[in-house]
Amino acid sequence: MDTVKKPTVEHNPINVLLTIENGQVIHSRTIQSDEFVASFESWAWMAQRAGYKIIPPVKGEKNELNGDTDPSVDSPESN
């Protein structure tokens, strides 16, 4: 009869976020217990299901959070 060896170290599960490029892990980060990880599409779907409306900014409209404008619009400084 086979016996199952018990691990010598026990701990709670750990969630890890991996960045993989060309089949190789190039970055890893432990996800904290108060974090949630999702794609933008998943996040947008959840927000819409919760009743939020996602409205893209008007092209060229100033971003009130950091003062930036839409980079797709030429600015006088870039000419």
Side-chain angles (χ1 to χ4, degrees), residues 60-71 75 77:
E61 186 174 286
K62 188 171 184 159
N63 182 335
E64 294 180 16
L65 294 177
N66 61 13
D68 288 346
T69 57
D70 187 335
S75 65
E77 294 88 21

Side-chain angles (χ1 to χ4, degrees), residues 41-63:
E41 289 80 13
S42 295
W43 177 86
W45 178 82
M46 288 186 293
Q48 289 173 337
R49 295 275 301 177
Y52 291 91
K53 292 186 180 196
I54 300 172
I55 303 168
V58 175
K59 198 170 190 172
E61 186 174 286
K62 188 171 184 159
N63 182 335

Side-chain angles (χ1 to χ4, degrees), residues 10-25:
E10 294 184 19
H11 56 79
N12 292 331
I14 298 171
N15 293 312
V16 179
L17 181 63
L18 300 176
T19 302
I20 300 173
E21 187 176 280
N22 297 324
Q24 299 290 320
V25 175

